[in-house]
Amino acid sequence: MSSTKITRALISVFYKDNLEPIIHELANQGVQFVSTGGTQEFIEKLGYPVVPVEKLTGYPSIFGGRVKTLHPAVFGGILYRREEAKDVSQAKEFNIAPIDLVVVDLYPFEETVVKGGKEEDIIEKIDIGGISLIRGAAKNFNDVLIVSARTQYGALLELLQSKNGYSDLEDRKRFAAMAFDVTSHYDSSIFTYFNREQQLPSFKASIQQGKVLRYGENPHQQGVFYGDLDGLFDQLNGKELSYNNLVDVDAAINLVKEFDGETAFVIIKHTNACGVATGVDVKTAYLKAFQADTVSAFGGVLATNQRIDRTAAEEINTLFFEILIAPGYEEGALALLKSKRNRIILAQKQPLTAAKQFKSLLNGVIEQDLDLKTDSVSDLKPATKRQPRAEEVEALLFASKICKHTKSNTIVLAVNGQMLASGVGQTSRVDALKQAIEKAGTFGFTLKGAVMASDAFFPFPDCVEIAHLHGIEAVIQPGGSIKDQDSIAYCDQHNMAMVFTGIRHFKH
């Protein structure tokens, strides 16, 4: 049936926000109400008669409310096919009246888990009757309109008013698709909760919010972001974020969060840092970060972990950049930074909380724990006769944080509080070191007294040999090569300090 008049509606919802206008509209169109419990009381208080579900089923709500609607008198009215003669005949035989509209939401399972509810409370929030009603009505979209979440109330009200209580097949099919989105997400959430303990090798991820991007990594590729960007950022200025913008923003905020308790500034280009520094204030940190690569910073993604004041904004504003991220902005600073219409200004409202990462690969998905390990003083195991001085230890840990967020193979050269250069994404660790040394020289840095960080061990002593020839005096690396002793021996011969962490930080 293409166009169907709604004559009878089953309404049973947990959330009653914005439900009242729908009840009034349905009543004005002569629709009969069937309901249960609190929703029945809600409708009756608005002055409209309701047929209790118990009257249809002949059973009261039993087992503490676990069984209310699971009965042929309810599900038959939803599922019987109006154009199938046998279904119509059976409906008459068993006195089953049609239900044309089902408005049902689900118990707040996810919300209860997030709030840290007791297991018994969480289990009771696993909806049985509601999800069955939604699935049944969605399956029979040829005859029944299903509204499965309060976020759909506005669309339902508009439909009722614009089509005078009728629904078309296209309408019902669209609401059915939304219903299966709701039920599949709900089931995925329940599985995820149980699988925290069981660890079944099954991958499920469900995100109900999606935003179509202008394109993907390149203009000929389509792109969509799934997630709640508005929950993470307030966008204060600029054009819409692109696929590549989002990738770089992710890299920037993951790196800058390594410097908790310090004032840090990072400049990202194609997910790698071209400048990182800490300082007494944002302006100082920015200027130090910018020094590391004044060329690549052009068009970069900038991030700091502190509120940006006018003084810092005046310096930053002289650079052409794509995006700036900070936890906040002084009013005068924001006004200045917004002077460029397309410049994207983001205020980060909350930290990232994900503990896993995954991506499509071959004919499946690969998943792993995020690398949340930050090397600390307690991880450092001196490997050489000379131990690093206090200021070298600070510089080594600083460089290691950057190394962790840089594409492998990587080498990072730094002094305390300032990255001097890095070699990124090289097939050889020696090539990464040579790239870093050349880059440091290009931007006028001397490496005398600098430190070197590597994301993985040195299979040969060549890297420490090259580093020493350019004045580097301390090294941090995971260790673990069968030829570690060769690198250690060279460092000892040339009074270099080297520490092992035992932690590799590959990033591909």
Side-chain angles (χ1 to χ4, degrees):
M1 297 174 67
S2 178
S3 185
T4 301
K5 180 77 169 82
I6 298 169
T7 60
R8 199 158 179 253
L10 170 61
I11 305 177
S12 180
V13 295
F14 188 88
Y15 296 106
K16 299 168 182 66
D17 320 51
N18 302 316
L19 181 62
E20 183 175 340
I22 292 171
I23 301 301
H24 290 311
E25 185 65 31
L26 289 169
N28 290 338
Q29 294 173 1
V31 175
Q32 183 185 60
F33 296 110
V34 179
S35 192
T36 64
T39 308
Q40 177 183 337
E41 293 177 14
F42 179 85
I43 298 172
E44 289 173 338
K45 284 181 180 178
L46 294 176
Y48 304 115
V50 178
V51 177
V53 164
E54 292 89 337
K55 186 174 180 180
L56 295 183
T57 64
Y59 284 89
S61 175
I62 58 177
F63 307 130
R66 283 188 166 198
V67 179
K68 289 182 285 191
T69 58
L70 296 168
H71 192 279
V74 177
F75 280 86
I78 295 169
L79 282 164
Y80 91 80
R81 293 159 290 188
R82 277 57 158 175
E83 293 184 332
E84 287 283 336
K86 188 174 181 180
D87 284 14
V88 173
S89 174
Q90 286 184 324
K92 288 181 179 178
E93 179 185 353
F94 294 105
N95 196 30
I96 295 173
I99 295 172
D100 312 301
L101 169 66
V102 176
V103 182
V104 176
D105 61 8
L106 299 172
Y107 291 156
F109 176 84
E110 277 187 287
E111 293 88 335
T112 307
V113 172
V114 169
K115 290 177 181 177
K118 296 179 182 177
E119 183 166 83
E120 59 192 64
D121 296 327
I122 291 171
I123 298 305
E124 286 307 310
K125 290 298 186 291
I126 299 177
D127 207 311
I128 303 300
I131 203 164
S132 300
L133 289 166
I134 292 172
R135 289 177 63 85
K139 176 177 179 175
N140 198 23
F141 64 85
N142 276 317
D143 303 303
V144 181
L145 179 65
I146 172 64
V147 176
S148 52
R150 55 182 165 169
T151 54
Q152 300 166 20
Y153 288 175
L156 172 62
L157 184 59
E158 182 182 349
L159 174 65
L160 294 172
Q161 292 172 340
S162 64
K163 297 188 176 178
N164 197 30
Y166 282 81
S167 68
D168 296 333
L169 181 60
E170 183 181 344
D171 302 321
R172 297 191 296 273
K173 200 165 187 178
R174 179 167 59 90
F175 275 90
M178 291 190 287
F180 286 121
D181 178 35
V182 168
T183 59
S184 63
H185 179 79
Y186 195 75
D187 283 337
S188 292
S189 300
I190 295 169
F191 170 78
T192 298
Y193 172 76
F194 278 92
N195 210 38
R196 290 176 180 179
E197 290 184 7
Q198 303 304 321
Q199 294 294 299
L200 302 178
S202 177
F203 178 81
K204 288 181 175 62
S206 176
I207 301 173
Q208 291 181 291
Q209 292 173 283
K211 181 177 178 60
V212 177
L213 305 173
R214 284 173 288 164
Y215 50 80
E217 198 163 8
N218 298 292
H220 63 278
Q221 296 170 268
Q222 292 183 339
V224 182
F225 174 79
Y226 296 101
D228 182 14
L229 276 179
D230 292 337
L232 185 60
F233 300 112
D234 283 329
Q235 183 165 346
L236 307 176
N237 191 64
K239 59 188 178 181
E240 185 179 280
L241 285 159
S242 70
Y243 180 101
N244 292 329
N245 289 157
L246 291 168
V247 173
D248 282 340
V249 166
D250 178 73
I253 62 177
N254 272 292
L255 175 53
V256 82
K257 77 175 183 178
E258 293 283 352
F259 301 96
D260 187 40
E262 301 177 86
T263 297
F265 205 102
V266 307
I267 303 173
I268 297 291
K269 203 71 173 288
H270 295 294
T271 74
N272 291 308
C274 55
V276 183
T278 57
V280 294
D281 52 38
V282 175
K283 176 183 175 181
T284 303
Y286 164 71
L287 289 173
K288 290 168 65 179
F290 179 63
Q291 283 179 328
D293 188 339
T294 58
V295 174
S296 297
F298 183 88
V301 173
L302 285 54
T304 181
N305 56 3
Q306 302 295 330
R307 183 179 176 86
I308 293 181
D309 59 20
R310 174 78 187 199
T311 304
E314 288 173 350
E315 288 291 345
I316 297 167
N317 192 54
T318 62
L319 175 69
F320 171 79
F321 60 87
E322 286 272 347
I323 303 171
L324 176 61
I325 311 154
Y329 302 83
E330 288 186 0
E331 186 175 343
L334 184 59
L336 177 61
L337 293 165
K338 289 172 69 173
S339 61
K340 301 293 195 314
R341 184 168 55 89
N342 288 330
R343 179 185 281 170
I344 298 170
I345 308 294
L346 301 176
Q348 187 175 350
K349 297 188 284 189
Q350 59 183 355
L352 297 176
T353 57
K356 298 278 188 179
Q357 64 180 170
F358 56 88
K359 64 179 178 180
S360 60
L361 189 148
L362 299 175
N363 62 346
V365 172
I366 192 167
E367 181 187 58
Q368 67 172 354
D369 296 335
L370 277 170
D371 184 358
L372 299 177
K373 171 62 179 173
T374 299
D375 296 333
S376 63
V377 173
S378 61
D379 297 311
L380 305 184
K381 303 173 184 65
T384 52
K385 294 176 182 177
R386 183 173 86 76
Q387 296 193 17
R389 297 180 290 273
E391 65 272 18
E392 288 177 325
V393 169
E394 293 183 12
L396 289 167
L397 292 175
F398 172 85
S400 175
K401 291 174 181 178
I402 303 167
C403 220
K404 169 183 164 182
H405 293 273
T406 306
K407 187 173 178 63
S408 299
N409 288 307
T410 185
I411 293 289
V412 172
L413 307 179
V415 292
N416 187 27
Q418 185 178 30
M419 183 180 87
L420 304 181
S422 62
V424 303
Q426 299 300 302
T427 53
S428 155
R429 201 159 302 281
V430 171
D431 286 345
L433 174 56
K434 289 178 178 178
Q435 182 188 61
I437 291 169
E438 181 181 356
K439 194 169 186 180
T442 298
F443 292 101
F445 291 109
T446 175
L447 297 178
K448 178 64 178 175
V451 304
M452 174 173 70
S454 173
D455 59 336
F457 64 63
F458 298 125
F460 303 101
D462 43 12
C463 280
V464 292
E465 293 170 3
I466 296 169
H468 170 253
L469 292 176
H470 288 83
I472 293 165
E473 298 180 357
V475 180
I476 184 171
Q477 58 136 320
S481 168
I482 58 172
K483 294 190 176 182
D484 275 346
Q485 192 55 46
D486 293 348
S487 294
I488 293 170
Y490 185 90
C491 288
D492 283 342
Q493 291 168 14
H494 297 85
N495 199 33
M496 295 174 69
M498 183 162 63
V499 294
F500 291 168
T501 63
I503 305 293
R504 189 180 71 185
H505 291 294
F506 269 169
K507 186 173 186 289
H508 296 109

